[in-house]
């Protein structure tokens, strides 16, 4: 399977696909809900706050902000995601737009949240500078990033399985590392250059919920664009072997309860203040 020509093409094609949008909303529902609470608390969402939920996706962070009685604008480039977000957070104002070049005036918002959207910035430095532009001085930014290779849980297991079993000739187009900002030194340097201070990173425990051990493969294959591109290019035998190894990890290392298997999916939340 040929790769898309550019990172932006891959992201746009993937996240505007209604099946991928629904796959992400369903597969990552538990994890995104847990993390949304931390993001809303980090920006001190409340009745007197006007907040931009950037890369709103299926609207789970926007819904948490609305529950705190904040005024919320939710932006995403994907009409498929916005359709889901309108169901999840009907009290928000929805905007289809580009996070790299937003149509908002300078200093429009008291806070900005980004729930797992930063890895989709084609140019993170430009994205953070644009966030700083639309924030008022003293405004808060909070965003979440999945922990990647070497981490405990779902993403670490996927990296392990892919590294051991996959055809390495199947590659993604050049783009930013999806997990780079779990590195506090790098995120501090990048955010300071964009005009932020008081930068903190904290580990946030999160988890995915799957009905069956074999379902973890489908969470990535049907609801995560980069993983879906890499996995779809593999042979059926290789896909089966990756599915089996992930299922083994779920059975051995996750928590099994009546509603299914609770799989660790740790992430990092970064918060900062606009200078």
């Amino acid at each position: 399977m040929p790769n898309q020509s550019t990172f932006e093409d891959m992201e746009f094609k993937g996240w505007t696909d209604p099946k991928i949008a629904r796959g992400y909303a369903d597969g990552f529902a538990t994890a995104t809900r847990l993390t949304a609470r931390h993001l809303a608390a980090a920006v001190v969402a409340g009745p007197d706050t006007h907040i931009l939920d950037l890369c709103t996706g299926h609207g789970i962070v926007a819904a948490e902000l609305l529950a705190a009685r904040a005024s919320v604008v939710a932006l995403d480039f994907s009409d498929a995601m916005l359709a889901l977000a309108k169901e999840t957070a009907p009290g928000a104002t929805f905007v289809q737009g580009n996070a790299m070049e937003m149509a908002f005036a300078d200093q429009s918002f008291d806070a900005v949240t980004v729930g797992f959207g930063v890895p989709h910035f084609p140019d993170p430095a430009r994205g953070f500078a644009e966030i700083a532009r639309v924030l008022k001085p003293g405004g808060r930014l909070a965003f979440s990033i999945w922990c990647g290779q070497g981490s405990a849980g779902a993403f670490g297991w996927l990296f392990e399985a892919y590294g051991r079993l996959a055809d390495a000739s199947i590659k993604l187009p050049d783009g930013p590392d999806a997990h780079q900002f779990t590195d506090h030194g790098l995120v501090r340097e990048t955010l300071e250059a964009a005009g932020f201070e008081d930068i903190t990173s904290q580990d946030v425990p999160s988890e995915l919920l799957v009905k069956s051990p074999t379902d973890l493969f489908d969470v990535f294959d049907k609801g995560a664009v980069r993983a879906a591109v890499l996995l779809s290019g593999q042979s059926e035998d290789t896909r089966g072997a990756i599915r089996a190894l992930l299922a083994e990890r779920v059975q051995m290392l996750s928590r099994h309860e009546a509603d299914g298997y609770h799989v660790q999916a740790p992430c990092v939340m970064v918060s900062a203040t606009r200078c």
Side-chain angles (χ1 to χ4, degrees):
M1 173 183 170
N3 288 327
Q4 286 86 348
S5 58
T6 68
F7 176 80
E8 292 94 332
D9 291 341
M10 178 190 73
E11 287 281 295
F12 185 82
K13 180 180 179 181
W15 293 116
T16 56
D17 181 339
K19 291 181 180 179
I20 289 284
R22 173 55 70 183
Y24 178 81
D26 292 345
F28 290 89
T30 301
T32 52
R33 189 179 306 112
L34 290 168
T35 309
R37 299 169 188 167
H38 291 274
L39 294 172
V43 298
V44 197
D48 298 321
T49 51
H50 185 47
I51 302 178
L52 170 64
D53 185 41
L54 190 57
C55 305
T56 195
H58 59 301
I60 199 69
V61 178
E64 195 70 27
L65 298 170
L66 288 168
R69 300 175 61 199
S71 167
V72 180
V73 175
L75 182 147
D76 205 286
F77 68 60
S78 167
D79 54 358
M81 280 297 193
L82 287 172
L84 297 176
K86 289 173 183 178
E87 298 176 1
T88 307
T93 298
F94 295 95
V95 176
Q96 186 171 15
N98 181 359
M100 299 294 99
E101 191 174 355
M102 293 183 279
F104 304 122
D106 294 357
Q107 301 182 19
S108 292
F109 297 98
D110 300 304
V112 174
T113 54
V114 195
F116 300 110
V118 168
H120 310 301
F121 290 0
D123 182 345
R126 180 181 173 188
F128 287 129
E130 184 69 350
I131 291 171
R133 182 186 68 77
V134 302
L135 268 175
K136 297 174 183 177
R140 298 289 295 166
L141 164 67
F143 65 91
S144 51
I145 296 282
W146 302 111
C147 297
Q149 189 167 8
S151 63
F155 284 86
W157 301 342
L158 179 64
F159 274 99
E160 175 199 12
Y162 196 86
R164 285 175 53 181
L165 300 169
D167 176 357
S169 69
I170 307 297
K171 297 182 182 297
L172 297 174
D174 290 339
D177 182 340
H179 309 281
Q180 64 181 323
F181 292 121
T182 59
D183 180 328
H184 183 66
L186 177 61
V187 77
R188 175 180 291 278
E189 177 183 341
T190 306
L191 287 176
E192 285 179 345
F196 289 91
E197 61 186 2
D198 301 328
I199 300 156
T200 64
S201 300
Q202 76 178 76
D203 294 330
V204 174
S206 188
E207 59 185 26
L208 307 176
L209 176 63
V210 294
K211 295 296 184 182
S212 164
T214 57
D215 289 346
L216 182 58
F217 179 91
D218 295 323
V219 169
F220 290 113
D221 191 43
K222 297 178 180 179
V225 168
R226 296 186 207 204
V229 169
L230 292 172
L231 292 171
S232 66
Q234 304 299 318
S235 70
E236 286 305 312
D237 285 346
T238 298
R239 285 168 57 85
I242 293 171
R243 182 190 293 274
L245 183 53
L246 290 177
E248 179 183 305
R249 294 291 182 268
V250 172
Q251 288 179 305
M252 292 175 57
L253 300 171
S254 65
R255 188 177 79 257
H256 188 202
E257 297 185 357
D259 57 349
Y261 293 82
H262 293 252
V263 180
Q264 291 182 52
C267 66
V268 170
M269 183 183 72
V270 178
S271 59
T273 303
R274 173 72 169 94
C275 296

